[in-house]
Amino acid sequence: MLILGIESSCDETAASVCEFLENGERRILSNAVASQIEIHRLYGGVVPEIAGRAHSEAICPIVTEALEKAGKTVNDIDVIGVTSTPGLIGALLVGVSFAKSLAYSTGKPLVAVNHIKGHVAANYFCFPDLKPPFLAAVVSGGHTSIIKVNSFTDFERIGRTRDDAAGEAFDKVGRVMGLYYPCGAEMDKLASAGNAKAYKFPSAAIGDDTLDFSFSGLKTAVLNTLNGLSQKGLDYKKEDVAASFTESFTSSVAKKLEEALHRTGLNTLVLAGGVSANSHLRRALEDMCKKNNVRFCCPPLSLCGDNGAMIAAQAYFEYLDGNISGIDLNAQA
Ligand code: KG4
Ligand code: ZN
């Protein structure tokens, strides 16, 4: 089965053609992404109105590119999958409207995909034997959730951030240190060269009775420290701030995920979302899983950020479950 996956929830317009064989094999034939990062960098973050317009310009060329790179035409496609929620409404609407038009004009089935489920589904390409139930941690620019994945389509959120998302915290701390948006990858590199014990920042793992996080306290503590230093005319090493922030971030996430594994009794942990590219987080979770005799899965760096292949993968399982959308499908912010 050939699936065209379309993604436009935030600042990447992406399309991918993937093949799902009856023997369980899953192949990415193309994975085209048009990133808007350069446009939004000027403003230090995503400007929703500009994102929507840029998606409108990129959607036709990117779907064409995905089909061409896969050596297919739209007639070869069996199912059209599209991110319908969550995300920026003006951005989502572009992908959803395009996918609906394409499905209507070609008579192909249309499948709505939840972006968070899509991030988790990116793992199915590199771990063909991965099957629910498992525990998933989705850490991205817009979300931080601990999810009990009961089946390929049934997700139960058991923990979440109560304020900022993980990626948002990385981006805000980076921005105050003068890094370019999005700051996650640069923060990752700086942290590798810094002293994680230079500053003691608070944990984001709030209370013992909940699996929720609060990243805003951690973020504010870093910003206050930097403001305090600059008021005293003192300099600081960006590497040390990045390393100390990352240490607090990774230990908070590892602590809550360890607790979630104990509570659920699940023996597989799947990491997903843009922040899953963080080398320190990957290492910390790998160690925690090893200690607890738990299998650890995370996607290759190329599938951590937003892409169309992850949407095609989730669309495949939604389609098998009979979750087909009508032409009245709408985007939800
Ligand atoms: O999943 P994603 O591409 O978009 C959303 O769905 O939000 O995630 C983007 C986020 C940004 O905040 C970016 O700074 C962060 O992922 N990110 C990282 C790294 N690479 C990307 N954060 C920490 N370390 C990284 N290596
Ligand atoms: Zn995402």
Side-chain angles (χ1 to χ4, degrees):
M1 181 185 297
L2 281 179
I3 304 196
L4 171 67
I6 298 175
E7 154 66 34
S8 74
S9 68
C10 189
D11 58 353
E12 337 263 8
T13 322
S16 165
V17 177
C18 298
E19 188 170 26
F20 300 84
L21 303 175
E22 270 174 27
N23 66 6
E25 243 183 89
R26 297 147 197 172
R27 291 195 205 134
I28 301 174
L29 304 187
S30 65
N31 203 6
V33 180
S35 174
Q36 304 174 7
I37 281 175
E38 292 299 329
I39 309 172
H40 298 295
R41 196 161 262 173
L42 260 175
Y43 308 94
V46 179
V47 183
E49 172 74 2
I50 295 176
R53 285 167 192 263
H55 283 304
S56 302
E57 286 169 14
I59 190 89
C60 272
I62 212 73
V63 171
T64 307
E65 184 184 327
L67 288 167
E68 281 176 4
K69 279 191 174 156
K72 305 290 177 193
T73 72
V74 74
N75 296 326
D76 300 319
I77 299 297
D78 296 302
V79 173
I80 298 166
V82 65
T83 306
S84 65
T85 192
L88 304 169
I89 190 67
L92 287 165
L93 276 169
V94 176
V96 168
S97 309
F98 185 92
K100 283 198 324 189
S101 313
L102 196 59
Y104 181 66
S105 58
T106 58
K108 313 268 182 196
L110 175 69
V111 172
V113 173
N114 177 301
H115 182 81
I116 295 174
K117 291 183 178 178
H119 270 301
V120 172
N123 282 276
Y124 300 136
F125 291 110
C126 32
F127 304 101
D129 59 329
L130 176 64
K131 280 193 183 69
F134 56 76
L135 190 73
V138 179
V139 279
S140 75
H143 313 277
T144 311
S145 299
I146 303 179
I147 297 160
K148 228 178 117 213
V149 179
N150 296 321
S151 77
F152 286 108
T153 54
D154 177 17
F155 282 43
E156 190 184 335
R157 190 171 67 180
I158 56 173
R160 64 180 172 94
T161 179
R162 291 193 180 171
D163 37 57
D164 293 351
E168 225 177 326
F170 271 93
D171 293 338
K172 285 184 181 160
V173 168
R175 194 164 70 188
V176 170
M177 294 202 293
L179 310 184
Y180 287 116
Y181 170 86
C183 313
E186 184 69 19
M187 287 280 287
D188 194 345
K189 263 192 239 155
L190 287 172
S192 301
N195 173 11
K197 294 202 167 72
Y199 301 95
K200 179 95 188 90
F201 294 131
S203 171
I206 46 169
D208 286 333
D209 53 336
T210 170
L211 293 173
D212 288 353
F213 300 97
S214 166
F215 291 105
S216 108
L218 168 59
K219 177 198 72 186
T220 307
V222 180
L223 304 192
N224 286 345
T225 301
L226 297 184
N227 283 338
L229 289 169
S230 89
Q231 275 167 7
K232 288 181 200 146
L234 298 172
D235 208 2
Y236 60 88
K237 273 180 77 181
K238 285 180 191 172
E239 289 85 350
D240 289 348
V241 175
S244 304
F245 165 80
T246 303
E247 164 58 30
S248 177
F249 168 78
T250 52
S251 56
S252 309
V253 174
K255 182 177 170 200
K256 286 292 178 191
L257 288 175
E258 190 170 33
E259 172 66 21
L261 286 164
H262 288 158
R263 283 193 196 184
T264 57
L266 293 167
N267 58 8
T268 300
L269 174 66
V270 169
L271 183 63
V275 183
S276 67
N278 189 274
S279 61
H280 309 274
L281 180 64
R282 289 163 90 103
R283 211 171 315 125
L285 294 184
E286 206 172 340
D287 290 348
M288 182 274 283
C289 285
K290 212 175 269 169
K291 192 180 93 190
N292 287 283
N293 212 11
V294 164
R295 181 183 184 196
F296 178 58
C297 302
C298 62
L301 294 186
S302 58
L303 292 180
C304 286
D306 294 344
N307 64 84
M310 69 186 207
I311 301 306
Q314 186 59 27
Y316 173 68
F317 293 108
E318 299 290 348
Y319 179 76
L320 293 186
D321 263 11
N323 298 330
I324 296 167
S325 293
I327 213 69
D328 57 347
L329 172 68
N330 207 350
Q332 271 185 297

